[in-house]
Amino acid sequence: MVQQQQQMMVPQPQAYQVMQPQMPPNPFLGAARGMMQPPLPQGPPGMKHILEIAEDEPLMKKQKTEDSLEPEIQFMMKFNGPVMFNVGTPVLTDKPEWALNGQILNITLPLQETVSVIKTKIHELTGMPPGKQKLQCDGLFFKDSNTLAYYNIGPGSTIHLQLKERGGRKK
C-alpha cells in the first residue's frame, strides 16, 4: 500500500508545446520591383530560408567584397599573359581638358600590374590626373597598391571610373 501511494505522488511529465517565432514580412523585398511580396514559407524561419532569399537575388545585386574574391595567386594561374578589360568613363562636361564623354576604354595589362598603372594608362588616354580618379568594379573600390589579379579582373571585366572629390561643400 505504501508503494502504491508513493507511485501516485510521482508527478507525471507534462507535454509542452514549443512555439517558433515567425519572421514578420519585409515590405521592402518586392516593393522596389513593383511586385507583391510572396508569402513566407511555413515552418520555422532559419538560416536556410535567409540563404534562399539571397540566392534568389539577381547576380548584379550581389556586390563583391574583398573576402569573396579568389586568392590573387590562384586567380593569376587561370590566365596566361596580359588580359584585356574595359574602363567605363563618366560624362564630365565641366572639364573639357579631360576627354571624358562616357566612352569605354579598352586596356590590356598583365595581371600583376597595380591599380596605379591602370590610372596612369587612363591619364594617358583621357588627360584625367590619377589623383582625381576613383576606380570601382562590382561595388568594390580599388586601392592603388593592389594588383589586377587581387581584384579578380579577368578578360572582359568592366571597371568604372569616377571623379574623386575631396572635402569641401557639397554642390
Side-chain angles (χ1 to χ4, degrees):
M1 179 81 167
V2 174
Q3 286 180 344
Q4 288 178 350
Q5 285 179 349
Q6 286 178 349
Q7 287 178 354
M8 291 178 158
M9 298 181 78
V10 175
Q12 296 296 323
Q14 295 181 357
Y16 292 100
Q17 182 179 5
V18 178
M19 300 295 291
Q20 294 289 337
Q22 294 292 321
M23 292 177 93
N26 186 342
F28 299 107
L29 280 178
R33 295 183 214 121
M35 301 179 341
M36 295 292 292
Q37 179 185 355
L40 292 173
Q42 295 299 319
M47 190 56 108
K48 183 177 178 186
H49 176 67
I50 292 169
L51 289 176
E52 286 173 2
I53 291 173
E55 288 173 3
D56 289 343
E57 287 287 321
L59 291 177
M60 296 173 82
K61 294 229 179 215
K62 292 182 183 178
Q63 293 188 342
K64 285 185 184 176
T65 63
E66 288 191 24
D67 295 333
S68 68
L69 293 173
E70 189 174 341
E72 188 173 5
I73 306 255
Q74 196 174 6
F75 189 80
M76 271 199 246
M77 292 170 68
K78 287 183 176 182
F79 303 100
N80 292 333
V83 294
M84 188 176 97
F85 57 93
N86 304 312
V87 177
T89 65
V91 177
L92 293 178
T93 55
D94 58 335
K95 292 280 190 181
E97 64 272 18
W98 301 344
L100 297 172
N101 54 10
Q103 74 269 35
I104 302 290
L105 307 174
N106 296 316
I107 299 177
T108 304
L109 289 172
L111 285 172
Q112 55 268 31
E113 291 292 351
T114 61
V115 171
S116 60
V117 173
I118 301 172
K119 288 184 175 184
T120 301
K121 280 275 193 200
I122 293 170
H123 175 66
E124 291 170 3
L125 296 169
T126 65
M128 183 181 198
K132 293 288 186 178
Q133 298 174 23
K134 182 165 65 169
L135 299 178
Q136 172 192 15
C137 184
D138 295 328
L140 195 59
F141 289 98
F142 292 1
K143 296 176 186 162
D144 288 354
S145 57
N146 290 332
T147 65
L148 290 169
Y150 178 86
Y151 290 112
N152 297 174
I153 302 301
S157 294
T158 300
I159 298 171
H160 301 281
L161 173 65
Q162 298 174 354
L163 175 64
K164 184 189 285 185
E165 296 184 29
R166 299 187 178 214
R169 212 172 45 161
K170 291 202 179 210
K171 296 178 183 177

